[in-house]
């Protein structure tokens, strides 16, 4: 009977975190596979220009950057598998002579065995879900002020949301924009008090309370954002704001549902790491590591995810060695 292959690491996710972990693991002569998921290359593949990833004097395209990372791993000889992971099982309660620790199960039923797992499944921005929003992402609509803010110099923009991220985004955008509307569906902010003060005392920010965005580019088929229609949810009154940018900061969905019963997470599903001094990317379950936007990370940026992926790769390598001794 053919013996089943046992990987050193199965890396779930093919964004900057997963691919960086994979490059490090593969180059350390480990048996490694990346599972690419339903968005090969991750979130950056939906953005046009990336200007803040070091090494590109004239910026680069989001899709290009991620395909380059993927090809770097593939050109080394690395294995990528398509599909979605639905479950990880800890096999250590069963007697195992082979050193196998986990079984990773795919949608569709295929199962792979591994010594360690790196979860790098990222997160997706929550969007408003209204007409024309999807088509205009990258054409005036953004989910990341840090990434895209500087493209909105001398424009009027709007931020939707009332939490810390929305407040930080609004404040950050005043560096570039002539005016920032902050649209929030309640009559007070959820952001922490210092963040609230920065926003409420900034003369460039106009608060639009009790309001929701209900329309985009009313009466226009333009390829770029020109206006948004907002509705006051107390009075029902609607008005159109002429804006060149709309930043949606209403939260994120970490893609971690499949690991819920397995590792500790924050209330909103971000995987918790950082408790083990020796292996900073280890989760609450030894042998499972996590990196990038799927974790409780301060800064959701590609370079942070790549750095985190590097640490997870090195942590997993060191941990596997420690188990063998
Ligand atoms: C529109 C937009 C523009 C951005 N612009 C910039 C920018 O200019 N500069 C910058 O630094 N950052 C930017 N960011 C942020 C950046 O994209 C993220 O911080 C970064 O991609 C996070 O990397 P990650 O590897 O953690 O996750 P992701 O890039 O989200 O990758 C997650 C991967 O996991 C896979 N996956 C998910 N679930 C499963 C599963 N169950 N099984 C298998 N695979 C799975 C997905 O298919 C994907 O490949 C932008 C984000 C967005 C949305």
């Amino acid at each position: 009977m053919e013996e089943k292959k046992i990987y050193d690491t199965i890396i779930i996710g093919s964004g900057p975190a997963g691919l960086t972990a994979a490059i490090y693991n593969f180059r350390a002569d480990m048996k490694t596979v990346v599972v690419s998921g339903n968005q090969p290359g991750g979130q950056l593949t939906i953005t046009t220009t990336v200007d803040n990833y070091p090494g590109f004097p004239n910026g680069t395209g989001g899709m290009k950057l991620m395909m380059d990372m993927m090809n770097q791993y593939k050109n080394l000889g690395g294995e990528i598998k398509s599909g979605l992971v639905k479950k990880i099982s800890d096999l250590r309660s069963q007697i195992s002579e082979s050193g196998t620790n986990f079984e990773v199960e795919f949608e569709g039923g295929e199962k792979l065995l591994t010594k360690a797992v790196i979860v790098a499944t990222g997160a997706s921005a929550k969007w408003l879900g209204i007409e024309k929003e999807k088509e205009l992402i990258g054409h005036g609509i953004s989910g990341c002020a840090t990434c895209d803010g500087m493209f909105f110099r001398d424009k009027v923009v709007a931020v939707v949301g009332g939490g810390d991220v929305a407040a930080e985004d609004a404040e950050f955008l005043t560096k570039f924009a002539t005016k920032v509307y902050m649209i929030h569906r309640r009559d007070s902010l959820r952001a922490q008090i210092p963040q609230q003060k920065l926003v409420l005392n900034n003369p460039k920010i106009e608060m639009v309370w009790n309001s929701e965005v209900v329309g985009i580019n009313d009466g226009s088929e333009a390829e770029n954002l020109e206006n948004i229609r907002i509705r006051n949810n107390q009075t029902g009154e609607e008005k159109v704001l002429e804006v060149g940018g709309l930043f949606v900061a209403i939260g994120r969905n970490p893609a971690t549902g499949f690991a819920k019963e397995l590792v500790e997470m924050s209330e909103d599903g971000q995987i918790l790491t950082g408790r083990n001094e020796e292996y900073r990317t280890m989760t609450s379950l030894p042998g499972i590591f996590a990196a990038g936007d799927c974790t409780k990370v301060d800064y959701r940026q590609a370079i942070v995810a790549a750095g985190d992926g590097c640490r997870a790769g090195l942590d997993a390598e060191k941990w596997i060695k420690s188990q063998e001794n």
Side-chain angles (χ1 to χ4, degrees):
M1 203 172 72
E2 198 194 331
E3 233 177 73
K4 208 164 176 199
K5 182 168 181 176
I6 298 160
Y7 287 96
D8 291 311
T9 46
I10 293 180
I11 297 166
I12 311 175
S14 57
L19 289 170
T20 307
I23 289 167
Y24 274 77
N25 278 179
F26 192 83
R27 293 190 75 253
D29 210 19
M30 293 164 71
K31 286 191 206 87
T32 297
V33 63
V34 172
V35 186
S36 60
N38 53 5
Q39 192 175 42
Q43 291 168 67
L44 272 191
T45 58
I46 62 161
T47 194
T48 45
T49 314
V50 180
D51 266 351
N52 55 11
Y53 198 91
F56 299 92
N58 301 309
T60 185
M63 179 61 91
K64 180 168 185 332
L65 178 61
M66 293 319 301
M67 290 309 117
D68 282 350
M69 274 191 210
M70 205 174 279
N71 286 330
Q72 184 177 349
Y73 170 64
K74 278 188 188 163
N75 291 345
L76 291 166
E79 180 184 354
I80 298 194
K81 219 173 159 36
S82 54
L84 275 173
V85 167
K86 76 164 187 198
K87 192 177 172 196
I88 304 172
S89 307
D90 188 350
L91 303 179
R92 281 170 292 189
S93 54
Q94 302 164 27
I95 297 160
S96 157
E97 311 244 322
S98 58
T100 313
N101 296 325
F102 303 102
E103 180 185 76
V104 172
E105 185 177 343
F106 287 61
E107 300 277 357
E110 190 182 356
K111 293 173 181 171
L112 300 179
L113 298 175
T114 185
K115 294 176 184 169
V117 177
I118 298 174
V119 181
T121 45
S124 51
K126 284 187 188 160
W127 297 102
L128 301 169
I130 58 178
E131 221 179 301
K132 297 190 191 165
E133 182 185 39
K134 280 242 157 79
E135 299 98 272
L136 292 178
I137 293 172
H139 298 273
I141 298 188
S142 170
C144 178
T146 316
C147 314
D148 299 332
M150 69 168 288
F151 304 127
F152 293 83
R153 200 177 287 283
D154 298 329
K155 294 198 170 158
V156 177
V157 302
V159 173
V160 187
D164 286 329
V165 174
E168 272 170 31
D169 283 0
E171 212 267 324
F172 177 76
L173 287 164
T174 60
K175 289 182 203 290
F176 310 101
T178 49
K179 176 177 184 137
V180 179
Y181 292 106
M182 187 162 177
I183 301 162
H184 186 36
R185 62 193 165 132
R186 300 186 207 285
D187 61 2
S188 61
L189 295 173
R190 269 185 300 110
Q192 292 172 48
I193 301 296
Q195 286 302 337
Q196 289 196 25
K197 282 189 182 153
L198 282 177
V199 167
L200 299 173
N201 295 331
N202 190 319
K204 275 184 156 185
I205 300 176
E206 180 178 329
M207 295 305 306
V208 186
W209 300 112
N210 296 317
S211 295
E212 290 164 43
V213 180
V214 290
I216 290 172
N217 274 5
D218 260 8
S220 158
E221 290 306 317
E223 284 177 7
N224 292 309
L225 180 71
E226 292 184 336
N227 67 58
I228 53 174
R229 184 159 40 90
I230 55 170
R231 181 185 298 147
N232 185 305
N233 56 29
Q234 304 293 303
T235 63
E237 188 197 338
E238 292 193 356
K239 65 178 172 186
V240 171
L241 302 176
E242 307 291 329
V243 294
L246 176 67
F247 290 83
V248 181
I250 55 174
R252 306 187 63 79
N253 290 317
T256 55
F258 66 94
K260 228 169 213 141
E261 309 296 318
L262 200 69
V263 297
E264 280 178 22
M265 295 184 190
S266 66
E267 259 176 34
D268 53 357
Q270 296 169 307
I271 298 178
L272 302 179
T273 56
R275 298 208 185 142
N276 186 310
E277 297 252 310
E278 207 179 343
Y279 306 104
R280 304 291 292 175
T281 60
M282 190 160 340
T283 65
S284 55
L285 185 63
I288 308 263
F289 300 81
D293 280 15
C294 66
T295 65
K296 196 165 170 50
V297 70
D298 295 339
Y299 303 108
R300 293 194 182 96
Q301 290 291 288
I303 188 77
V304 176
D308 225 15
C310 164
R311 293 168 89 195
L314 293 172
D315 279 351
E317 182 190 350
K318 188 162 100 175
W319 181 81
I320 291 169
K321 267 194 206 125
S322 77
Q323 303 298 296
E324 289 165 353
N325 295 331

